[in-house]
Amino acid sequence: MNYLESFSTIYQRACERKGGEDGLEALLSPVKTASQIVQTPSNRLLSELSKKVFQSGFIWRIVDLKWPAYEQAFFDFEPMKVLMLSPEQLQARASDPALIRHQKKTQAIYDNALMMNELERTQGGLPQLISNWPEENIIGLWALLKSKGARLGGNTGPYFLRSIGKPTFALTNDIQGYFKSHKLIDYGFSSKSGLNQVQNVFNVWQQESGRNLTDLSRILALSVGDNKV
């Protein structure tokens, strides 16, 4: 590592760029407590998981517009109902013009329902798992989602976690650019060693500021670059 700024310095720079403290704070998103997350119905988690899979590499607005049709086509994303779909029924949905024609992403809905069913049997369910997961090792939760789920690598897992209120940082272009320019990472961002270095830096900032990982990540992004939070 080379130059680790204090988070107070980063915060001040973000305030200067965004019209002061009130302007900056207005750009931040609320997160949920562990007790709120654990009460999230499983079908809402599967819906958000699936939406983030379809939004990856695609226009988010189009996915949002089509999502009511997905809710209907996949039984409001009740995992056990999704698992009752036959391969032929999945294929029909992957070819439906009212939806998005993408076989592998459509299959991921089924595969992630299967993951949730497994976690229900072995670890008390995905809501319980996510709510209990410590922020200081959020990359471990990313790795679990990627290994057990379908098409949840890259920023798809983190964006899913953010969408349900779980605090996490995200490796946007601005965040990666900051870590590179300050020489805070010696490995690739997709490597275990590189992710550990990023996690450790965020842990230092969290201890200093008392803020959650989502706030830290967004404020850092707003302090530099193109502000892709």
Side-chain angles (χ1 to χ4, degrees):
M1 289 189 182
N2 191 351
Y3 177 41
L4 179 60
E5 289 185 295
S6 69
F7 195 75
S8 60
T9 298
I10 295 169
Y11 183 84
Q12 183 59 40
R13 186 169 61 246
C15 286
E16 292 170 357
R17 288 165 57 96
K18 296 299 170 185
E21 185 172 341
D22 289 343
L24 175 61
E25 294 290 339
L27 294 172
L28 304 182
S29 301
V31 298
K32 293 183 179 180
T33 64
S35 60
Q36 289 173 323
I37 292 172
V38 78
Q39 294 173 20
T40 306
S42 293
N43 70 314
R44 293 303 86 207
L45 293 187
L46 182 58
S47 178
E48 285 299 323
L49 264 178
S50 303
K51 183 186 287 188
K52 290 298 173 282
V53 167
F54 274 91
Q55 287 176 331
S56 178
F58 201 67
I59 300 171
W60 286 35
R61 177 177 56 83
I62 293 178
V63 178
D64 287 338
L65 288 173
K66 287 184 175 286
W67 211 247
Y70 273 92
E71 293 282 352
Q72 182 176 2
F74 287 90
F75 316 111
D76 293 326
F77 288 96
E78 292 290 346
M80 293 308 298
K81 291 182 179 180
V82 170
L83 291 177
M84 294 175 67
L85 290 169
S86 67
E88 293 76 18
Q89 290 172 317
L90 283 172
Q91 178 61 52
R93 284 158 174 77
S95 305
D96 189 339
L99 305 177
I100 296 170
R101 296 177 181 178
H102 198 298
Q103 177 65 41
K104 291 182 178 180
K105 289 187 176 185
T106 302
Q107 181 65 42
I109 297 175
Y110 182 93
D111 293 341
N112 286 325
L114 199 62
M115 171 193 69
M116 292 181 66
N117 184 53
E118 177 189 349
L119 292 176
E120 185 72 33
R121 292 185 293 101
T122 61
Q123 300 194 44
L126 188 59
Q128 186 75 35
L129 182 71
I130 292 173
S131 66
N132 288 339
W133 202 280
E135 285 185 56
E136 60 267 23
N137 182 33
I138 200 67
I139 59 171
L141 183 53
W142 295 6
L144 184 144
L145 290 173
K146 180 180 178 180
S147 65
K148 289 189 173 294
R151 304 183 74 89
L152 297 178
N155 271 327
T156 303
Y159 280 142
F160 156 67
L161 294 174
R162 278 190 175 182
S163 74
I164 64 167
K166 178 68 174 182
T168 183
F169 57 85
L171 294 175
T172 64
N173 290 338
D174 288 335
I175 300 296
Q176 291 189 36
Y178 178 90
F179 271 78
K180 289 177 181 177
S181 65
H182 287 74
K183 295 180 170 50
L184 297 172
I185 187 167
D186 303 310
Y187 307 93
F189 287 99
S190 60
S191 70
K192 184 175 182 180
S193 296
L195 288 174
N196 278 326
Q197 286 185 311
V198 176
Q199 177 80 72
N200 290 338
V201 169
F202 274 101
N203 288 349
V204 170
W205 286 334
Q206 186 171 44
Q207 292 170 8
E208 174 195 342
S209 66
R211 287 183 174 268
N212 65 72
L213 291 180
T214 298
D215 279 359
L216 294 173
S217 182
R218 288 180 176 270
I219 291 169
L220 177 61
L222 290 167
S223 77
V224 296
D226 297 324
N227 302 318
K228 294 178 181 177
V229 300

